[in-house]
Amino acid sequence: MIAQGISGLMRPLLSGLKVSKTHFVYFCEATEQNCLRSKQMSRRGFSSTCKLQDSHGELSSADSVTVHFINRDGERLTTTAKEGESLLEVVVNQNLAIDGFGACEGTLACSTCHLIFEKDAFQKLDAISDEEMDMLDLAYGLTETSRLGCQVRIKKLMDGLTVQVPVEVSDIRSQLEVGKQSKQ
């Protein structure tokens, strides 16, 4: 369906270019399959973030790291993560119920994955980049131990890590939802 629409729009352009029809058809089919797959994936809160990584089976206890998230309402969410995953990927892949978390899907364009670390855990994290610092400037409830979850990668030494999700989040999507509801 989408591929047919794209094909119809692109036909005049393709006639003037030396593009293989086979490659174009493959692109259209792949686009349509990705659209269908994204509609089938789970969604969280008011975020449309699809799973960022495919999980390949269960983690063995030797490969897993336990992470605890203290949600905005004080609820403790405990999950396991793979070494190398970002904390944002952990939230998305484990489908944790943290509303509005990761609006930009880890592209360093927002601060919705803002997390507060315990001091000793914070000191063990890799250095913070200038880009992350710029985004943290936009975060509500900023502390000395704040980091963006999309920039912190899980390491084996983090087993048992506890992070706090700030009570408030700077997310324009929530303001847009309120605006839509008030117009109705």
Side-chain angles (χ1 to χ4, degrees):
M1 179 169 101
I2 292 170
Q4 292 169 347
I6 292 172
S7 179
L9 292 172
M10 296 298 291
R11 203 167 281 122
L13 177 64
L14 288 175
S15 64
L17 298 174
K18 293 182 180 184
V19 176
S20 163
K21 186 175 181 180
T22 305
H23 285 106
F24 180 69
V25 169
Y26 175 76
F27 168 75
C28 292
E29 289 174 359
T31 302
E32 189 169 271
Q33 289 171 357
N34 287 340
C35 289
L36 291 173
R37 188 171 19 138
S38 68
K39 288 179 185 176
Q40 296 168 349
M41 292 191 168
S42 63
R43 298 182 188 276
R44 309 172 281 107
F46 55 87
S47 172
S48 62
T49 305
C50 297
K51 286 190 175 191
L52 295 176
Q53 292 183 349
D54 294 329
S55 357
H56 300 289
E58 294 294 315
L59 291 174
S60 72
S61 60
D63 295 333
S64 66
V65 175
T66 301
V67 182
H68 309 281
F69 293 85
I70 308 298
N71 209 344
R72 292 182 179 93
D73 61 1
E75 178 187 14
R76 183 183 186 97
L77 305 170
T78 299
T79 190
T80 56
K82 290 187 266 183
E83 194 168 5
E85 278 185 307
S86 72
L87 287 172
L88 170 62
E89 290 170 330
V90 173
V91 170
V92 172
N93 293 342
Q94 297 299 324
N95 202 25
L96 299 181
I98 302 175
D99 285 338
F101 198 83
C104 75
E105 299 177 0
T107 60
L108 259 177
C110 73
S111 60
T112 59
C113 64
H114 172 208
L115 294 169
I116 301 168
F117 290 78
E118 295 170 341
K119 197 168 205 144
D120 60 332
F122 180 82
Q123 292 172 346
K124 295 176 184 174
L125 300 177
D126 291 335
I128 191 168
S129 70
D130 290 338
E131 293 85 5
E132 183 179 357
M133 289 291 282
D134 290 343
M135 285 297 110
L136 279 170
D137 286 342
L138 304 174
Y140 292 148
L142 192 64
T143 71
E144 290 181 2
T145 61
S146 289
R147 289 292 301 266
L148 296 180
C150 65
Q151 299 302 299
V152 176
R153 298 256 169 222
I154 296 292
K155 295 178 182 174
K156 194 67 176 164
L157 62 92
M158 293 179 173
D159 195 33
L161 174 72
T162 299
V163 292
Q164 174 77 42
V165 179
V167 175
E168 292 188 59
V169 64
S170 177
D171 186 358
I172 195 161
R173 294 176 305 166
S174 60
Q175 295 167 356
L176 293 174
E177 289 295 318
V178 170
K180 285 181 187 177
Q181 291 173 358
S182 66
K183 288 180 182 179
Q184 293 176 353

